[in-house]
Amino acid sequence: MYVIFFGPPGVGKGTQALVIAERYGWAHISTGDMLRAHVKDGTALGVKAKSFMDQGLLVPDDLVIDMFLDRLGRLRADQGFVLDGFPRTLVQALALDTALASHGKAIDLAVNITAPDDVLVERMMGRAAESGRSDDTPEAIRTRLEVQKPPAELLDHYRAAGKLRDVDGQPDVETVTSAIISALGVSAASTS
Ligand code: ADP
C-alpha cells in the first residue's frame, strides 16, 4: 500500500510514519531526514538545501523532487511505503503521480493529521532542546508554521480523488496511531 502522511510541522507525522511503517513492513521515506543527511555529509545538495531549511523555508521543488525520485526508484517493487514530508507542494504531488503511473501504480491513501497552532508550537519548542536540529530556533519554527502547512490545493488534489482521510493529531501517540490504523482500513493489513 502507498500512503502519504500530511500535516503541519510539529503534528507528529514523523513519529506516526515510523510506527506505521514498522507495523506493516513498509518503507518510511522522510525527505526531511534525507535532506538532513545531505547537510551532515556536506553534499552539493546539502549545501544548497541548508540555508532554506535553517530559515524554515521549503527547499526548492526541483532539488527535492530529484532526490525523492532517486529514492523511489531504489524501492523494491513489492514493498509498500509511507511518505513523510513529501509531497509538500502540488508540483511535487504531480511528479509523484507521474512516477508511479509509469509503473502502473498510484497512491492509495493520504492521511491528513491536524492540530491547532498553539499545540504545534508547544511541541516544537519542547523538542527543540533535545533535537539538535539547526532549524528548531523560535524564528524558524514560526516560519515553518506559517509557510509549511499543507496547502489547500495539495490536500484538494487527494480529496478530489476520494483518497484523503483526516485524523486528529492532538491525543497521545497511541491514540493517534489507532486512528490512523482505522483510517487505513482493512486494505492496510492485507497488502505489502
Ligand atoms: P518538520 O519536522 O518540521 O515537519 P521535516 O523534517 O519534514 O520538517 O523537514 C525539515 C525541512 O526540510 C523543512 O523545513 C524543509 O526546509 C525541508 N523539506 C523537507 N521535505 C521537503 C519537501 N518535500 N519540499 C521542500 N522542502 C522540504
Side-chain angles (χ1 to χ4, degrees):
M1 195 169 178
Y2 294 161
V3 178
I4 301 170
F5 280 9
F6 287 125
V11 82
K13 62 182 184 305
T15 305
Q16 295 295 339
L18 264 177
V19 173
I20 293 292
E22 182 146 317
R23 179 185 171 102
Y24 296 111
W26 298 339
H28 169 218
I29 304 181
S30 159
T31 44
D33 286 351
M34 292 170 72
L35 287 167
R36 279 185 288 277
H38 276 280
V39 171
K40 186 162 165 269
D41 294 346
T43 68
L45 169 58
V47 170
K48 285 187 207 153
K50 184 173 172 21
S51 60
F52 295 99
M53 296 170 74
D54 283 351
Q55 292 175 73
L57 299 172
L58 289 182
V59 175
D61 279 336
D62 53 341
L63 299 180
V64 178
I65 289 171
D66 280 354
M67 176 188 77
F68 173 80
L69 292 181
D70 179 64
R71 173 77 179 88
L72 193 68
R74 285 183 286 108
L75 273 187
R76 283 197 344 250
D78 63 339
Q79 193 180 20
F81 61 65
V82 182
L83 303 186
D84 164 12
F86 187 97
R88 264 181 163 90
T89 64
L90 187 57
V91 171
Q92 294 179 13
L94 297 177
L96 170 63
D97 285 352
T98 304
L100 292 177
S102 71
H103 297 278
K105 301 199 165 152
I107 289 296
D108 295 294
L109 218 60
V111 176
N112 182 34
I113 312 176
T114 60
D117 280 3
D118 52 342
V119 173
L120 302 172
V121 172
E122 200 176 302
R123 286 190 188 165
M124 280 190 280
M125 293 295 194
R127 173 179 84 181
E130 68 229 45
S131 74
R133 277 174 56 163
S134 56
D135 62 350
D136 268 348
T137 60
E139 203 160 87
I141 286 173
R142 246 192 318 274
T143 306
R144 296 221 300 284
L145 262 186
E146 268 165 39
V147 303
Q148 296 207 25
K149 292 193 183 138
E153 59 178 8
L154 179 62
L155 297 177
D156 286 347
H157 178 67
Y158 295 94
R159 191 177 285 121
K163 292 180 177 174
L164 195 74
R165 304 285 180 273
D166 289 306
V167 167
D168 180 6
Q170 286 185 82
D172 58 276
V173 173
E174 290 76 19
T175 306
V176 177
T177 304
S178 304
I180 293 172
I181 290 169
S182 30
L184 294 177
V186 284
S187 46
S190 57
T191 55
S192 56

